[in-house]
Amino acid sequence: MGLELARPIRMVRRGQRPSAVSQPADPFGRISQNSQLAMGLWLLLWLGYNTSFDYLLSPNFDVKPTYFIHGIRAFFPILAAWISFFIVFARGNRAVTWLVGPLGLMLIYAVVGLIASLTYAPDPTHATYFGANYLAIVLVMIALVAVEDPLPDLRHVLNLTWNIGFLFTLSLLGLIPFLGSAALTETESNPVGVRAYGGGTEILGMPGTRNTGFARYAAISALVALPRFIKKGNLAMRMVWGALFLASLSGLIIANGRTETFAFLGGVAIILGMEKTRRTINFLVAAAAGIVLGLRGFFAAFFMYITRTGVIDLTLTGRTRTWEEALHYFWDSPWVGFGFQADRYYLGGEHMHNAFLHAYFQAGLVGGTAVVIGLIIVWVLILKYFFFKQPADRNLIPPEIPAVFLFVTISSVTESTFAYFSAAWLLSAPIVPYVMALHRRMQKESANEARERASRIRQARRTARLLEYPEQAPPSATG
């Protein structure tokens, strides 16, 4: 059995239905040891975010406590990778079966990017470090699914991720009054007159978030809180989720992240469209609200908010020039790319700001195509199970999953999101194994239903044949 945790075995009394014992009332309500292991591995990845081993090499490493802490935690993702590697090895064939699909394709991307980091990167040490961090995410995801039923574990990992997003959102929002002008920039485009974290203020010895990073945390937190707020249930909890939604939405507005705002609106549309019974009403209410806002001049103000100048910038704040320069270099190594952090080395310190181009630039046609195909497969399955062929148990398809994944997909046009070890990818990566695990569960249920249907048909035919030809009936046991 290796590292796989055994499920408790309970005896079934005579006359008791087995399903009443084997199936818990709420499979996501309890946190098993395996779920704790899964959450611990994902937490290790988060603890290694926004740092590097440069802190370890700094003369201040043994002088400043912040440098010491950041230098040590820089290797937490590598630790998670090693633990996951041994888990995958121990779970053997069960882990291998998951490599046929998005997880295997993302593994190809990480490996090809690492090879390119060792061969093409001007600074192989740094490039390999960040490539190993990305590989750690993939290995942890593979370790999480290599169990009999990974859905409960993955749901706990997702909840942990959402809570981390809330923590960042509320912390950054709460720091604004203390940082004052260091965190706020005056602007006429924002209705509140300021933009938060426009200058990337340093926080606790780490590079501070920019307004786009703050907007990302706030938008994802709002998308997670919204369906919980509008869902019927405990009034007190709905009020809590409503407060979290409003706090996150205010953070998004203050941050003035333009791509994040568009992506957030797309996520809201997904949430409103998930409920088949309320879909029409939701969109009618949204359309009515849009008309009322339009009469009050909202859209003119929104246009200024999005453009900041009142003029559409076709260069996307200079991003298109960076993309053109990247395409010029790309043909020097089209098959395997230039390795992780390649944009920093080859584009004069510029960031790519496009996940798709970034993936191809780092891992070439081989790795870039692999990860893009993996994401396409995930989207096909999301559309299938969250919209068209929904499972009977609606708890398996929480609306925030497609909403957050759409947010990250839209953001990928102007941000690098899934292409490197980023907060956006840490916030959304668990969705990939969750959707794959849901797909496998639905396949098993369909196969079981098909077998039961075939068994009933065979039994019906046998009964009909015996009624038509009673002489073929086997002799009675009583003679």
Side-chain angles (χ1 to χ4, degrees):
M1 184 174 296
L3 293 178
E4 183 179 347
L5 299 175
R7 297 191 174 197
I9 300 175
R10 295 176 60 182
M11 300 301 293
V12 181
R13 296 178 181 177
R14 181 174 298 179
Q16 186 179 8
R17 295 177 60 188
S19 59
V21 179
S22 59
Q23 296 295 331
D26 182 9
F28 297 139
R30 56 187 176 83
I31 301 181
S32 66
Q33 291 183 0
N34 203 68
S35 293
Q36 294 173 26
L37 173 62
M39 295 166 66
L41 289 172
W42 206 258
L43 186 60
L44 279 176
L45 296 176
W46 271 109
L47 290 174
Y49 171 66
N50 199 23
T51 184
S52 73
F53 64 84
D54 287 337
Y55 288 98
L56 186 66
L57 302 178
S58 171
N60 293 321
F61 174 72
D62 54 354
V63 177
K64 293 185 177 181
T66 54
Y67 274 63
F68 178 80
I69 293 172
H70 298 324
I72 295 299
R73 69 184 185 87
F75 296 93
F76 282 179
I78 309 299
L79 175 60
W82 274 109
I83 295 173
S84 299
F85 174 79
F86 287 116
I87 292 174
V88 170
F89 181 79
R91 291 172 176 173
N93 294 334
R94 180 170 285 171
V96 173
T97 59
W98 289 89
L99 297 182
V100 181
L103 294 179
L105 292 168
M106 291 173 183
L107 181 62
I108 291 174
Y109 169 70
V111 172
V112 172
L114 274 171
I115 293 173
S117 298
L118 292 169
T119 54
Y120 286 99
D123 188 349
T125 303
H126 274 81
T128 303
Y129 167 77
F130 287 105
N133 282 2
Y134 191 95
L135 177 62
I137 297 179
V138 180
L139 289 176
V140 169
M141 289 193 292
I142 296 173
L144 299 187
V145 296
V147 294
E148 181 181 351
D149 182 16
L151 273 179
D153 303 334
L154 292 168
R155 186 62 178 272
H156 287 304
V157 171
L158 280 170
N159 288 336
L160 170 67
T161 299
W162 306 148
N163 288 332
I164 291 174
F166 281 119
L167 176 63
F168 283 166
T169 300
L170 298 178
S171 297
L172 291 170
L173 196 61
L175 279 173
I176 291 177
F178 298 97
L179 295 175
S181 59
L184 297 174
T185 303
E186 292 186 5
T187 176
E188 297 180 357
S189 63
N190 199 319
V192 297
V194 293
R195 182 184 308 126
Y197 297 104
T201 306
E202 183 178 292
I203 299 176
L204 298 176
M206 299 178 292
T209 186
R210 301 189 65 85
N211 69 304
T212 52
F214 181 35
R216 182 189 310 117
Y217 296 128
I220 290 179
S221 297
L223 291 174
V224 173
L226 178 59
R228 289 166 166 80
F229 169 61
I230 63 178
K231 183 179 180 180
K232 295 180 180 179
N234 184 283
L235 179 61
M237 288 305 303
R238 290 183 65 187
M239 296 300 293
V240 171
W241 287 115
L244 288 172
F245 172 74
L246 291 176
S248 301
L249 184 61
S250 64
L252 175 62
I253 294 172
I254 295 173
N256 195 193
R258 294 173 290 183
T259 299
E260 289 74 19
T261 301
F262 275 122
F264 169 75
L265 294 175
V268 170
I270 287 284
I271 292 171
L272 296 179
M274 274 282 292
E275 276 294 340
K276 291 183 178 180
T277 57
R278 300 173 56 186
R279 184 180 299 168
T280 302
I281 296 176
N282 287 340
F283 284 119
L284 285 176
V285 172
I291 293 173
V292 173
L293 290 173
L295 295 175
R296 298 186 62 84
F298 169 80
F299 294 107
F302 183 75
F303 181 76
M304 177 62 71
Y305 176 83
I306 288 295
T307 61
R308 296 181 185 170
T309 60
V311 178
I312 297 177
D313 181 9
L314 297 178
T315 70
L316 299 177
T317 61
R319 286 177 170 86
T320 56
R321 290 191 290 269
T322 303
W323 300 345
E324 290 175 1
E325 187 177 358
L327 290 174
H328 172 74
Y329 280 106
F330 174 76
W331 299 109
D332 291 337
S333 178
W335 295 109
V336 297
F338 299 95
F340 288 91
Q341 297 289 96
D343 54 340
R344 302 294 194 186
Y345 302 134
Y346 288 89
L347 305 180
E350 291 290 331
H351 193 52
M352 185 68 76
H353 286 296
N354 181 290
F356 303 98
L357 289 177
H358 203 160
Y360 280 102
F361 198 63
Q362 291 185 149
L365 292 171
V366 176
T369 302
V371 71
V372 169
I373 291 176
L375 294 174
I376 292 174
I377 294 173
V378 174
W379 260 119
V380 169
L381 295 178
I382 286 177
L383 293 174
K384 179 179 180 179
Y385 296 120
F386 284 76
F387 294 94
F388 298 108
K389 191 181 178 181
Q390 295 180 339
D393 186 358
R394 296 299 300 273
N395 289 323
L396 297 176
I397 51 171
E400 66 266 20
I401 286 181
V404 170
F405 209 67
L406 179 64
F407 173 88
V408 174
T409 303
I410 295 175
S411 300
S412 298
V413 177
T414 59
E415 301 293 340
S416 290
T417 59
F418 65 83
Y420 74 117
F421 187 81
S422 67
W425 189 225
L426 286 172
L427 285 166
S428 58
I431 293 175
V432 175
Y434 184 90
V435 171
M436 298 308 300
L438 175 63
H439 173 58
R440 291 208 174 187
R441 175 179 283 195
M442 296 297 289
Q443 281 185 320
K444 289 180 180 178
E445 290 182 358
S446 297
N448 291 336
E449 291 174 0
R451 283 194 294 268
E452 291 177 2
R453 188 163 51 248
S455 177
R456 289 194 298 268
I457 293 174
R458 287 195 299 270
Q459 183 63 35
R461 289 175 177 174
R462 188 179 302 113
T463 302
R465 188 168 55 250
L466 292 177
L467 291 174
E468 185 175 357
Y469 304 103
E471 65 277 5
Q472 296 182 5
S476 174
T478 61

